[in-house]
Amino acid sequence: MGDSGGTGRSGRHREIRRRLPLAALALLTLCAGCANPARDVLVAPRTLTSPYSPQGAEVVWAVAPLRNESGVSIADTQAISDKLVAAAEQVEGVRAVPLNRTIAAMRALEMKAVASPADARRLAQALGVDAIVVGTLTAYDPYTPTVGMAIALFPRPGAMSGPAAALRPRELGVSPTDGSRAPGPSAAPTHPDAPWATASLHLDAKNHQVQMDVQSYAQGRHEGESALGWRRYLASIDLYSEFAAFRAVEDLVRQEWVREARVHASPPRERTP
């Protein structure tokens, strides 16, 4: 009887061991089937489209290295300037020259910094670009994180839609904000050296509107399985600076849409005899 019971138990154990791999395989297959659809769902990220005519050649922008006025010595302005170049390059209808090329042109011109609109246009002429973005880093905190910048888009005389002095478009000026919404129009510039577009942002990650903007920006730009998800852009100053650069370029593009609409809606000037 003891042998018979032992043999019975051994048989059942062998049967259980035989079935365990099959059960594990079925469970893995079921889990894989549940996970695959979520992993395969792709979301297109937010993109920017320029207002420039698609029938002509692409407009070329350059970005001058940002000046550091944040009061924080560890701020890497060249890295953030590179992110502005990358953000401009992603705008449909715009190409951006590499930052190293801009720095090389400044050295050839013995220009330590772009300190005036005249410097901006001189550098744009030397590079052969249609417009140049210049500005400053106004705030930087890698721990909050916080990034602030003030930038302006200066055209090369005669490029894009014509000389700024002749068009005298209304400047859509901005005041520093917490980065929540787009700026509104301000008074028209009275000087031909006025930029075509400006952006002034102070993006503090503690602000809930900024967090919502980060969440919107992150869609389609990170793996869904990431533990942090969209919050990874709040956990890395490098990624947060990428978001800030996108927001700044977005403001420039939005203002260019308005300016171009005004330019093309304006009646042609009558020639004087």
Side-chain angles (χ1 to χ4, degrees):
M1 294 294 291
D3 291 344
S4 176
T7 303
R9 285 195 296 271
S10 297
R12 285 196 297 272
H13 289 164
R14 284 196 298 272
E15 180 66 17
I16 290 172
R17 286 197 297 270
R18 184 181 68 81
R19 292 184 179 183
L20 275 176
L22 296 177
L25 179 61
L27 181 61
L28 287 174
T29 303
L30 179 62
C31 291
C34 294
N36 279 339
R39 186 182 299 118
D40 291 339
V41 172
L42 301 179
V43 179
R46 286 172 55 199
T47 57
L48 302 175
T49 303
S50 77
Y52 312 126
S53 173
Q55 298 175 351
E58 282 186 310
V59 169
V60 181
W61 288 5
V63 176
L66 295 175
R67 299 188 304 275
N68 186 7
E69 296 181 1
S70 68
V72 180
S73 59
I74 62 172
D76 190 344
T77 53
Q78 185 161 328
I80 297 175
S81 302
D82 253 329
K83 295 185 185 305
L84 283 171
V85 173
E89 181 70 21
Q90 293 173 44
V91 178
E92 185 178 344
V94 172
R95 287 195 303 109
V97 301
L99 184 64
N100 287 343
R101 179 180 160 190
T102 303
I103 294 174
M106 291 175 67
R107 288 173 179 166
L109 295 171
E110 298 183 351
M111 186 184 295
K112 292 183 178 179
V114 180
S116 67
D119 285 347
R121 291 186 168 85
R122 182 166 158 241
L123 182 56
Q125 291 276 22
L127 287 165
V129 297
D130 297 293
I132 187 164
V133 177
V134 301
T136 60
L137 184 71
T138 58
Y140 184 84
D141 180 356
Y143 306 108
T144 307
T146 299
V147 172
M149 66 178 75
I151 61 174
L153 180 71
F154 288 93
R156 175 174 55 85
M160 296 165 71
S161 294
L167 291 174
R168 295 193 181 278
R170 290 187 68 189
E171 178 186 6
L172 303 183
V174 296
S175 58
T177 68
D178 60 5
S180 57
R181 286 292 146 233
S186 66
T190 57
H191 197 278
D193 281 342
W196 275 0
T198 61
S200 182
L201 302 175
H202 185 88
L203 300 167
D204 185 340
K206 296 190 298 293
N207 184 295
H208 287 192
Q209 180 61 63
V210 173
Q211 291 182 26
M212 291 170 66
D213 291 343
V214 171
Q215 185 179 27
S216 173
Y217 170 77
Q219 289 182 358
R221 289 185 168 90
H222 69 93
E223 291 293 336
E225 292 79 9
S226 170
L228 289 176
W230 65 268
R231 293 183 183 275
R232 66 196 289 263
Y233 284 88
L234 303 178
S236 163
I237 186 60
D238 185 62
L239 291 176
Y240 193 75
S241 298
E242 177 186 305
F243 156 73
F246 177 89
R247 277 296 315 278
V249 170
E250 182 181 31
D251 278 358
L252 295 183
V253 170
R254 183 183 294 113
Q255 293 177 41
E256 278 295 88
W257 270 99
V258 175
R259 185 192 62 79
E260 284 281 317
R262 287 172 175 162
V263 168
H264 294 296
S266 300
R269 294 185 176 185
E270 294 184 2
R271 294 186 177 181
T272 55

